Amino acid sequence: MKPADRVQQVPPSGIRRFFELAEERDDVISLGVGEPDFSAPWAARTAAIDALERGKTSYTANRGRRDLRMAIADHVERYDLDYDPDEEILVTAGASEAIDVAMRALVNPGDTVAVHQPSYISYVPGVVFAGGEPLAVPTRAENGFALTYDALEAAGAADADALMLCYPNNPTGATMSADQLADVAEFVREHDLFVLSDEIYAALTYGGDHTSISTFPGMRERTVVFNGFSKAYAMTGLRLGYALGPADAIAAMNRIHQYSMLSAPVTAQYAALEALRSCGDSVREMHDEYNRRRRFVLSRFEEMDLDCFEASGAFYAFPACGDDDEAFAEELLEEQGVAVVPGSAFGEGGAGHFRASYATGMAELREAMNRIETFVRGR
């Protein structure tokens, strides 16, 4: 039995390789995992337990429980987003499933999807699995890893069919201002692209409010927005996300979702509903703790003379480390027992950097920074 060609052309995850190296040792501090070190808020966990004890273990509607979709519609109003819970919202098994079904529902074989890089490692494979052609659009540290009109034009994105967007960004921690997003929106309208906008880190911005590209003139009808409960609510293992978009796009996505997944996990839906109703304080507390860690990590990298722009979203820093980022990460792991991810794993523009997650406790974070400094000073 031979795997399909489109599967064989996708390389194994560059992140996974470093996880496997780290798992071979028991003295490693990992700054490589993009996962909150907090537990889900207690009220959300209690709601999940209660649902199980009451025997709420059946399928839900394909699109997700209606009360949850209504709560999501209310929740996203804080980002000036207005979506009909009956026609324009789809609840999925994590934001990753939402992105996957969007790719398969909206990308035709041979379509070109522009993907700004460095970016989350699943986007390019998702385009390939959908039969599309990914087009790399590099972003640079000197621009704060923001996507620009000029970068899109230089990469040939004017001839693309779609744009995959992710801000706040994984792996860089970059955010984009409303003015910067307005320029991208102008490019998209001029060249008639549609947008897949991953906004899973929307609640984790520091120093300013998150802006969705869907809010700009002429963008709502050509944008699908993705979000979920993994990052802000520390519910990664419960696998619950959602998509917001025009009714015809959501209907097409639901057609795939209902055959492949049928419905998102019901227990997670009960937890998510309670999270939206009563866990805002917990989200703010986690946000403030991440911000404290962010400031600490950035200051330590500055002390080490590692050039690192001021990441203002998510829970990642993305410092420069020289030409060979893979060698840097491997030697750091071998000599000091600190696991980070080389920036080249995230595509063009990531080379010469590494991703360090500060979604870990301050005690471990301090020790990791001390070890990194020892390593850097000894090179």
Side-chain angles (χ1 to χ4, degrees):
M1 187 176 293
K2 183 180 178 182
D5 291 342
R6 65 181 180 279
V7 175
Q8 298 220 67
Q9 67 179 290
V10 174
S13 165
I15 296 178
R16 176 51 49 189
R17 185 169 77 86
F18 277 83
F19 285 169
E20 290 170 352
L21 289 172
E23 287 170 355
E24 296 173 0
R25 299 173 51 170
D26 57 10
D27 62 340
V28 170
I29 299 175
S30 177
L31 304 183
V33 181
E35 179 174 26
D37 61 311
F38 300 100
S39 296
W42 178 245
R45 284 182 277 158
T46 299
I49 293 167
D50 180 66
L52 286 170
E53 289 182 338
R54 290 188 293 119
K56 303 295 185 180
T57 56
S58 301
Y59 296 128
T60 70
N62 295 142
R63 292 174 181 257
R65 289 180 55 87
R66 188 172 189 275
D67 53 0
L68 176 57
R69 285 182 277 125
M70 291 175 66
I72 290 169
D74 290 342
H75 173 74
V76 300
E77 287 180 358
R78 69 188 59 195
Y79 304 121
D80 296 323
L81 297 172
D82 181 15
Y83 287 92
D84 178 0
D86 292 321
E87 301 292 334
E88 299 179 319
I89 298 177
L90 175 65
V91 179
T92 58
S96 292
E97 192 226 339
I99 294 168
D100 176 58
V101 297
M103 294 279 192
R104 289 192 282 159
L106 304 174
V107 175
N108 286 305
D111 280 359
T112 298
V113 180
V115 182
H116 65 90
Q117 297 183 349
S119 65
Y120 182 50
I121 59 171
S122 292
Y123 300 147
V124 168
V127 173
V128 174
F129 293 152
E133 299 288 339
L135 172 69
V137 182
T139 60
R140 305 296 179 191
E142 53 264 32
N143 295 325
F145 290 107
L147 181 62
T148 66
Y149 187 109
D150 290 343
L152 286 162
E153 192 169 54
D159 295 324
D161 300 282
L163 169 65
M164 182 74 227
L165 193 68
C166 177
Y167 288 96
N169 182 255
N170 176 8
T172 64
T175 58
M176 288 183 63
S177 69
D179 288 344
Q180 290 171 320
L181 282 170
D183 286 342
V184 173
E186 180 183 355
F187 183 93
V188 166
R189 291 190 301 268
E190 283 182 5
H191 300 288
D192 195 24
L193 278 65
F194 69 87
V195 178
L196 305 176
S197 184
D198 184 354
E199 301 177 20
I200 190 69
Y201 294 100
L204 300 180
T205 59
Y206 316 103
D209 294 329
H210 171 72
T211 300
S212 173
I213 196 169
S214 180
T215 61
F216 290 89
M219 293 303 298
R220 188 186 187 281
E221 59 267 33
R222 63 172 71 242
T223 303
V224 177
V225 176
F226 309 101
N227 208 324
F229 298 86
S230 292
K231 310 302 183 179
Y233 293 92
M235 289 168 52
T236 52
L238 292 181
R239 308 310 305 131
L240 203 75
Y242 54 88
L244 315 165
D248 55 350
I250 294 298
M253 291 168 59
N254 188 46
R255 190 172 303 175
I256 298 173
H257 171 75
Q258 68 186 358
Y259 286 118
S260 60
M261 189 60 65
L262 201 147
S263 66
V266 62
T267 306
Q269 292 190 53
Y270 280 102
L273 181 59
E274 187 60 32
L276 292 176
R277 285 174 172 171
S278 68
C279 297
D281 287 345
S282 296
V283 173
R284 283 186 286 273
E285 288 171 7
M286 288 186 279
H287 169 280
D288 291 347
E289 176 60 18
Y290 287 135
N291 195 21
R292 183 170 79 98
R293 298 174 188 178
R294 178 184 72 97
R295 293 194 300 266
F296 168 73
V297 167
L298 292 176
S299 68
R300 288 300 306 274
F301 285 141
E302 184 178 3
E303 291 171 4
M304 298 176 207
D305 296 322
L306 289 179
D307 187 20
C308 185
F309 87 106
E310 188 169 352
S312 52
F315 36 60
Y316 308 108
F318 205 63
C321 61
D323 293 337
D324 195 339
D325 53 286
E326 288 205 13
F328 181 97
E330 289 178 2
E331 291 168 13
L332 175 61
L333 178 60
E334 181 179 347
E335 296 179 21
Q336 293 294 329
V338 177
V340 298
V341 183
S344 55
F346 301 98
E348 293 186 38
H353 297 77
F354 67 90
R355 188 188 78 174
S357 169
Y358 46 86
T360 191
M362 279 298 293
E364 284 197 319
L365 207 52
R366 287 192 181 95
E367 177 60 22
M369 291 297 109
N370 290 338
R371 294 186 189 185
I372 294 173
E373 182 170 18
T374 298
F375 175 75
V376 170
R377 300 298 185 204
R379 294 191 93 200

